[in-house]
Amino acid sequence: AVMAAVCLSAGCGEGTPAPPNIVVVVLDTVRRDVAELSPSGVSFTPNLDRLASEGTTFTNAWATGPWTVPSHASMLTGLLPSSHGCTGYSTFLSDEHRTVAEHLAAEGYETVAFFSNPWLTDRMSGMLRGFDMRYVETGHDDTRVFNIVDQGGRGTSENIAEWLDARSEDRPFLMFVNFLEPHLPYSPPEEIRSEFLPDLPPRSIITTEWALEFNAGMHPPETVDWERVIRLYLGDVATADAYLGRVLDELERHGLYDHTAIIVTSDHGENLGDNGYMDHQFGLFETLLAVPLVVRTPAQTEPAVRRDPAMVTDVFPTVLELAGREVPPDLPYARSLLGEPIHDERPVI
């Protein structure tokens, strides 16, 4: 059954099926309801929309935690935070848990990670263990002087292009990407402002300090221009989406797109004044846990929408099945997204 799934995904014919390349993109801090947040009805995620038009959109997908560490560890291991142990008490992933990169590296996959989120580094969590190469783009934050923020996405997308240009391997690859841009502070670059936010002042920004002050009660909600806050957040979402588009374009430029399975999701959402908060701390609200999830495989010919419950833990067995590897049986809260929809009573934790 697993080999049949690989052959289907790769579109292979007779002979030994060639497993596909696999790309997992995390659009950090993106709420599932970003389309509904747009005050003008304009989509701030045209590239994700494009991918959805070719793949399967899961409209009932959930993160396993409201911040980076627990959710990413769940994606990479298929385990809940209570099992993988990457929480606020200890952010490091134990060696006893094999990551999806370790599994695929053992099967001959080339494994590479591109990111700028510091929580994913070896010194902070060690959860990207098993990736042969890790390209860390640090970004640049000058909000105190220039109100300019580069959270690393531009450098990350450039690193991806350079890596694809330079690689000579003929074996399939697993690429993990995290784009941090939607995270505070909300400071979209000029090209995004001119397209999506032309009426806002070029220095308009929501700083991390302001958000923390709001949480401390220093900015009464009735005094806040919430449309401006939401639009600047959406501008950052559009920035991450534009970088996703660059990844898709690079895959096409190298002739890899038609033989690559792509999974796009988020690790958590964001409070934008919801529940009396900014940021993604202090609660397990649905605004923090409901995430987008789109899966596109090379063999899919028609777009689909699925409403059965999904969790970020499901990324792990989905990648293993795409690669033709047996999924470990001891994953009670993870299932491959390539299978048939299951009943709506699946527990979401």
Side-chain angles (χ1 to χ4, degrees):
V2 172
M3 192 59 71
V6 174
C7 192
L8 177 66
S9 302
C12 50
E14 296 181 359
T16 303
N21 305 308
I22 304 168
V23 175
V24 177
V25 179
V26 176
L27 303 178
D28 207 295
T29 320
V30 172
R31 295 164 52 135
R32 189 202 298 157
D33 64 351
V34 287
E36 301 165 26
L37 290 175
S38 176
S40 60
V42 173
S43 174
F44 282 74
T45 56
N47 293 291
L48 184 60
D49 297 345
R50 166 196 164 188
L51 204 63
S53 72
E54 302 173 3
T56 301
T57 301
F58 292 81
T59 61
N60 192 12
W62 301 89
T64 57
W67 67 297
T68 294
V69 168
S71 278
H72 275 86
S74 289
M75 292 182 213
L76 296 165
T77 66
L79 301 171
L80 295 177
S82 55
S83 295
H84 62 59
C86 288
T87 67
Y89 294 105
S90 176
T91 60
F92 284 89
L93 182 65
S94 169
D95 290 343
E96 68 180 286
H97 304 306
R98 294 190 72 191
T99 69
V100 67
E102 289 178 304
H103 280 281
L104 264 63
E107 294 297 306
Y109 264 74
E110 188 177 6
T111 58
V112 59
F114 300 89
F115 61 98
S116 59
N117 190 324
W119 283 112
L120 303 178
T121 58
D122 288 343
R123 68 182 181 84
M124 296 292 281
S125 67
M127 69 175 64
L128 292 181
R129 188 172 63 242
F131 284 96
D132 300 327
M133 290 175 285
R134 300 164 212 172
Y135 292 80
V136 186
E137 178 61 42
T138 58
H140 176 68
D141 186 340
D142 241 344
T143 53
R144 295 185 182 275
V145 180
F146 300 110
N147 280 0
I148 296 172
V149 177
D150 171 7
Q151 299 206 63
R154 187 184 307 276
T156 292
S157 60
E158 291 171 354
N159 286 339
I160 292 170
E162 290 174 4
W163 179 77
L164 287 171
D165 285 341
R167 72 184 295 265
S168 58
E169 298 276 357
D170 59 0
R171 54 182 174 143
F173 60 80
L174 167 65
M175 179 193 297
F176 169 84
V177 185
N178 175 289
F179 288 122
L180 188 58
E181 270 58 32
H183 203 287
L184 277 164
Y186 311 147
S187 177
E190 175 56 37
E191 61 269 24
I192 294 297
R193 291 176 185 266
S194 61
E195 180 177 357
F196 292 98
L197 310 168
D199 56 311
L200 290 183
R203 298 294 188 185
S204 188
I205 182 176
I206 303 299
T207 66
T208 305
E209 289 80 6
W210 182 90
L212 295 177
E213 290 169 0
F214 176 83
N215 289 343
M218 297 171 63
H219 304 292
E222 64 273 13
T223 68
V224 177
D225 182 352
W226 288 112
E227 181 173 326
R228 172 177 167 271
V229 171
I230 291 170
R231 291 181 69 206
L232 284 167
Y233 165 74
L234 290 174
D236 271 358
V237 171
T239 306
D241 180 80
Y243 292 141
L244 167 64
R246 293 186 187 182
V247 174
L248 303 181
D249 290 345
E250 285 298 320
L251 291 172
E252 288 187 326
R253 186 169 71 86
H254 287 274
L256 299 168
Y257 187 81
D258 291 339
H259 191 57
T260 300
I262 303 168
I263 301 172
V264 181
T265 188
S266 183
D267 53 344
H268 55 77
E270 184 83 326
N271 278 323
L272 300 166
D274 312 270
N275 313 297
Y277 291 112
M278 288 289 297
D279 204 5
H280 45 273
Q281 305 174 57
F282 311 122
L284 293 172
F285 305 108
E286 291 190 9
T287 48
L288 306 185
L289 299 176
V291 293
L293 177 61
V294 175
V295 178
R296 178 261 186 197
T297 62
Q300 189 161 350
T301 57
E302 296 289 338
V305 175
R306 284 180 43 177
R307 298 173 178 83
D308 50 317
M311 293 194 293
V312 294
T313 48
D314 299 336
V315 171
F316 177 84
T318 302
V319 171
L320 291 188
E321 183 171 350
L322 284 166
R325 186 174 178 85
E326 294 289 343
V327 178
D330 55 343
L331 294 174
Y333 301 107
R335 65 181 179 90
S336 172
L337 299 169
L338 303 180
E340 293 296 318
I342 64 171
H343 61 79
D344 292 339
E345 296 179 1
R346 179 197 186 190
V348 173
I349 302 175

